Amino acid sequence: MESSIYDSTLGRVLRWARYSSFWYISVGGGCCADEPLHTVGCRYDLERFGCVPQSEPRQVDLLIVNGVITYKAAPYLRAFYDQMLAPKYVMSIGSCANCGGPFSSDISYSVVPGINKIIPVDVYVPGCPPRPEAIMNGLLSLQEKIRGHHRTEKKIN
Amino acid sequence: MDIIELKKRLTEALSEKILELAQLGKGRVLSVWVEAKHINEVALLLRNESYLGFSVLENFFVAQLDSAFLLSYYLRAPKTGMELILRASIVPPNPEGLAKAPSIREVWPMAEHQERESAELFGIIFYLGLSPADKKEIKHSFLPPGWQGFPFRKEYKFPESFSGIQHQRDGL
Ligand code: SF4
């Protein structure tokens, strides 16, 4: 959603509703798949940001992809993404999903070097695996992105 | 039964089929090297003879040494607790061609899954019966459909792209 189109009170309310009630689904392909479980658990409690895990791609706004995505899994991930209803956001967790990580393209023949080659990605969370704080930081960046504050694009001199 | 007795019994039972009989792993495990075409006969004998009784196939793997493929079968006799490694080697007709090896899944049925995996990744056709069937292709169940080449071979070149996805990191 472009902020210029809904630059009214209604738009602000809509954006507020969207960024404060992320219903997400997590696609796990590797060891990183444990980290969103920690993050949603009692110690880090992702639900205070309005995140609720779901089991049905048609009901979610946020797709969390974590871990290794192979060429065999790629068409299924794409089909999964296509089933989600707009507006939809994608968060990529872990080096494997970001760029192939330890299974980079000159070491592994079967791992897709970055899921941005399959689906558009909004936020990348680096780490192998990233800590729950990093995942929460990624989520807050995504909230700010929807709010219209492009924290992730800010340049540091 | 100790390893010296097992060695004696194997030499008696297999005599001329043995290419090499060696002790591995600090001398605790016996390895028998036979010709690939004899592997089914030897396997049946090892399983059925009551004084050998190698009825369990613990593991099966393939390794590539230069141009040859080494097939290793890890066997165990539950009654005596003895271990044995059965080995054979095959050579593909050319570096890109399919190699052919007799299948032992009729002797030890648990070999089937591992044979299918090795078939796909190394390009080996495991045939039943006495002569290789006229099979030209290997069905893909581990690799995605349409994959070219055999990834575990030493000569394997990584694909440039697969189903429209460039096999390279962005920005490199
Ligand atoms: S980034 Fe590291 S922890 Fe995450 S899936 Fe890859 S190897 Fe596992």
Side-chain angles (χ1 to χ4, degrees), chain A residues 52-73:
Chain A
V52 189
Q54 295 290 319
S55 55
E56 168 78 16
R58 287 180 186 81
Q59 293 168 354
V60 301
D61 322 296
L62 174 62
L63 173 64
I64 298 183
V65 185
N66 36 52
V68 194
I69 300 295
T70 56
Y71 283 112
K72 193 166 182 180

Side-chain angles (χ1 to χ4, degrees), chain A residues 29-33 35 66-68 93-98 100-103 127-130:
Chain A
C31 11
C32 274
E35 295 308 311
N66 36 52
V68 194
I93 290 183
S95 304
C96 288
N98 293 348
F103 311 100
C128 179

Side-chain angles (χ1 to χ4, degrees), chain B residues 106-172:
Chain B
E106 287 191 335
V107 185
W108 294 294
M110 66 80 72
E112 185 177 351
H113 185 262
Q114 279 149 329
E115 277 184 0
R116 264 194 280 150
E117 186 176 358
S118 310
E120 244 180 86
L121 297 172
F122 279 103
I124 304 173
I125 287 180
F126 288 94
Y127 59 87
L128 284 171
L130 290 176
S131 62
D134 295 331
K135 225 164 71 169
K136 293 279 179 327
E137 279 191 358
I138 290 167
K139 202 173 132 253
H140 279 178
S141 49
F142 293 89
L143 297 168
W147 191 271
Q148 297 294 319
F150 309 111
F152 278 17
R153 288 201 181 179
K154 287 196 201 294
E155 310 85 29
Y156 180 69
K157 296 239 169 11
F158 286 5
E160 301 260 299
S161 68
F162 182 71
S163 69
I165 305 169
Q166 285 294 318
H167 189 63
Q168 200 181 33
R169 275 186 189 175
D170 286 344
L172 283 183

Side-chain angles (χ1 to χ4, degrees), chain A residues 88-155:
Chain A
K88 49 190 172 183
Y89 307 98
V90 178
M91 184 150 95
S92 158
I93 290 183
S95 304
C96 288
N98 293 348
C99 65
F103 311 100
S104 73
S105 50
D106 45 355
I107 295 170
S108 170
Y109 59 90
S110 60
V111 174
V112 177
I115 60 159
N116 60 336
K117 293 176 186 280
I118 314 166
I119 52 179
V121 181
D122 292 284
V123 180
Y124 295 93
V125 181
C128 179
R131 284 193 55 85
E133 291 92 339
I135 297 175
M136 276 160 31
N137 187 30
L139 194 92
L140 294 178
S141 321
L142 183 59
Q143 286 190 340
E144 286 191 15
K145 190 177 173 184
I146 296 165
R147 221 182 286 160
H149 303 184
H150 285 235
R151 170 167 85 154
T152 41
E153 286 176 10
K154 227 186 270 173
K155 284 216 174 85

